[in-house]
Amino acid sequence: MTKRFQYHFEPKKGWMNDPNGLIQYQGVYHAFFQYYPHDIKWGPMHWGHAISRDLLHWEEQDIALSPTQPYEDDGGCFSGSAIEKDGKMYLFYTSVSHALGQTQSLAISEDGLTFTKYDHNPIIQHFPAEDATKDFRDPKVFVYGDEYRMILGTVYKGCGRVLQYRSKDLIHWEYMGVLYESSDYHDVIECPDLFPLQNRWVLLYSKIEPGDRHVQFLIGNFDGERFTPHSTLLPERGPQFYASQTFLSEDGKRILISWFYDWMREPIEGSTSAGALTIPREVYLDERGHLCLYPVDSAKALLEPLPLDNSAHKKAGVQISASPDSVKIISRHATPQLYEGKVEKVEVLADVKAVEVFINNGKQNYSVWGH
Ligand code: FRU
């Protein structure tokens, strides 16, 4: 028997990767996710679906999207996002087909449980060849002024890029150009997300580097056309945290959920499922302007403080020790993680087979599998 998480969402069976379409809709939290129901490894993508009333206890629902259409006959329904308009939930995703490659498609729901693909999908049929390559995916849609914006990740001439579109009706999209280009990341930008946070803007994206996958955060300015970073950071350094997406809760909090898995790991023998969602975190800037990722209120009771005395604590198969100037995290599923710097507080959220470690109120975190 393989162990199941107590607090982290994981599907009953099958493979999952990125969280998709995160939204609070009619009071209920919805998390969709990249899903392959027929095996515990990646396959043609569906959107799995789970709902929650407290962001801690999730109930798995029927599959929301399956790759049934010719425009998704290759990789299926890749990552994307959700938004509400006139009481309906709109899901945007990258449809991947043999004929068209990566295009962007739409499905609409009136009840948050059943989803109908738009008749004239794909709504964005061609990538802008002057600025992008065929890797053109992971639409994140948000409201900006009196219109909608969509950002997507790509790579062009060896630079990761984020592209931007605008729309008045969520159906017709006009290309605006390059929102951001990275000078130091040379592969495709995956799962970009852009949002205001207090008086700043945050752009985050997932990057694949040899042996290393991380979520890069940039804090800066967005003038409606371009994003200009002022600082870059990796608030989460755990090796098994990827494809973060955020949404705004009805009470105005910016909540982030990530895919919690080790892409490089062989499927675990005897498991019926692979992959999980991290504990949702609130994203905020503290009084000194530091970006923090800290568990949502409903998960705070699960946090255990560790003494800063160098003693070793074994939790969910992970060994953690802390002192006033360092934190060490050792697991057989990851290279040893060492944080060096001033340590004021270390808290651990341990759940059956993994831990999430929060240092200094979420300024630096490590999510690590132990079993
Ligand atoms: C990130 C990613 C996305 C893509 C999806 C496919 O993990 O590669 O860019 O949409 O997974 O499952």
Side-chain angles (χ1 to χ4, degrees):
M1 270 297 281
T2 52
K3 300 173 182 178
R4 305 267 312 161
F5 278 122
Q6 206 178 345
Y7 306 109
H8 290 74
F9 173 77
E10 59 187 339
K12 293 192 186 72
K13 68 174 183 87
W15 162 274
M16 68 160 284
N17 52 291
D18 317 355
N20 295 153
L22 302 178
I23 190 170
Q24 188 175 11
Y25 174 72
Q26 298 172 354
V28 178
Y29 298 103
H30 292 253
F32 301 85
F33 48 90
Q34 289 285 278
Y35 187 44
Y36 184 58
H38 308 300
D39 203 343
I40 52 168
K41 48 186 194 211
W42 196 92
M45 284 286 107
H46 300 56
W47 275 35
H49 184 199
I51 60 170
S52 173
R53 295 197 174 266
D54 63 358
L55 288 171
L56 196 57
H57 301 90
W58 294 92
E59 287 165 45
E60 195 168 348
Q61 305 294 304
D62 290 344
I63 292 175
L65 303 176
S66 297
T68 51
Q69 302 297 318
Y71 53 84
E72 51 208 19
D73 68 358
D74 188 5
C77 308
F78 273 22
S79 285
S81 57
I83 198 165
E84 181 174 344
K85 176 175 180 275
D86 303 331
K88 297 182 187 168
M89 194 198 292
Y90 285 63
L91 301 183
F92 295 88
Y93 63 99
T94 298
S95 33
V96 188
S97 69
H98 290 288
L100 300 171
Q102 300 187 359
T103 54
Q104 316 311 322
S105 287
L106 166 65
I108 300 175
S109 175
E110 298 199 12
D111 59 4
L113 295 170
T114 52
F115 302 85
T116 307
K117 289 178 191 159
Y118 179 58
D119 281 342
H120 303 291
N121 275 343
I123 50 168
I124 300 179
Q125 290 244 3
H126 303 286
F127 65 91
E130 70 282 15
D131 279 338
T133 53
K134 60 180 177 40
D135 279 305
F136 164 63
R137 59 176 179 268
D138 307 340
K140 177 80 202 275
V141 173
F142 56 98
V143 176
Y144 186 76
D146 62 354
E147 59 185 24
Y148 297 98
R149 297 292 175 88
M150 175 194 288
I151 60 167
L152 292 143
T154 189
V155 56
Y156 187 74
K157 295 195 173 156
C159 292
R161 276 186 166 179
V162 179
L163 308 177
Q164 186 175 206
Y165 285 76
R166 58 161 34 121
S167 173
K168 290 276 188 202
D169 60 5
L170 294 174
I171 306 276
H172 302 93
W173 292 90
E174 179 197 343
Y175 180 57
M176 292 179 68
V178 178
L179 173 111
Y180 167 76
E181 175 173 284
S182 163
S183 51
D184 58 2
Y185 171 59
H186 309 297
D187 210 330
V188 55
I189 282 188
E190 296 194 310
C191 306
D193 194 351
L194 176 70
F195 53 89
L197 192 65
Q198 286 139 256
N199 55 353
R200 320 270 177 84
W201 282 82
V202 177
L203 175 67
L204 63 82
Y205 64 86
S206 292
K207 54 178 186 176
I208 325 157
E209 284 175 326
D212 210 15
R213 290 176 164 237
H214 277 117
V215 183
Q216 180 76 65
F217 285 67
L218 310 171
I219 302 181
N221 186 41
F222 175 53
D223 64 6
E225 306 270 329
R226 299 273 304 183
F227 175 83
T228 313
H230 300 144
S231 56
T232 62
L233 56 161
L234 293 175
E236 167 70 54
R237 288 184 194 267
Q240 294 144 357
F241 182 100
Y242 197 70
S244 303
Q245 186 178 95
T246 74
F247 70 101
L248 199 60
S249 65
E250 286 168 0
D251 58 0
K253 292 180 176 157
R254 180 59 59 176
I255 314 255
L256 175 142
I257 302 180
S258 302
W259 172 34
F260 194 17
Y261 190 61
D262 185 352
W263 183 268
M264 303 311 288
R265 185 168 169 187
E266 286 295 311
I268 304 166
E269 212 178 306
S271 305
T272 57
S273 73
L277 295 176
T278 60
I279 293 292
R281 292 142 161 72
E282 189 180 336
V283 187
Y284 63 92
L285 300 172
D286 73 4
E287 61 290 347
R288 283 191 249 147
H290 294 295
L291 186 125
C292 300
L293 305 179
Y294 197 66
V296 290
D297 288 343
S298 56
K300 283 186 180 145
L302 303 174
L303 287 168
E304 280 176 69
L306 285 194
L308 306 182
D309 61 0
N310 267 320
S311 54
H313 299 267
K314 189 107 181 190
K315 310 243 173 224
V318 181
Q319 187 181 304
I320 309 138
S321 53
S323 75
D325 50 25
S326 71
V327 180
K328 267 185 242 146
I329 303 162
I330 297 172
S331 157
R332 67 195 165 99
H333 297 298
T335 50
Q337 305 286 313
L338 177 64
Y339 170 82
E340 286 178 304
K342 191 162 187 239
V343 180
E344 278 153 5
K345 189 156 109 184
V346 177
E347 291 163 295
V348 179
L349 194 156
D351 184 2
V352 183
K353 50 190 172 180
V355 299
E356 297 180 41
V357 180
F358 298 89
I359 303 175
N360 299 345
N361 292 318
K363 285 191 206 67
Q364 191 64 68
N365 304 331
Y366 294 81
S367 300
V368 181
W369 283 64
H371 292 291

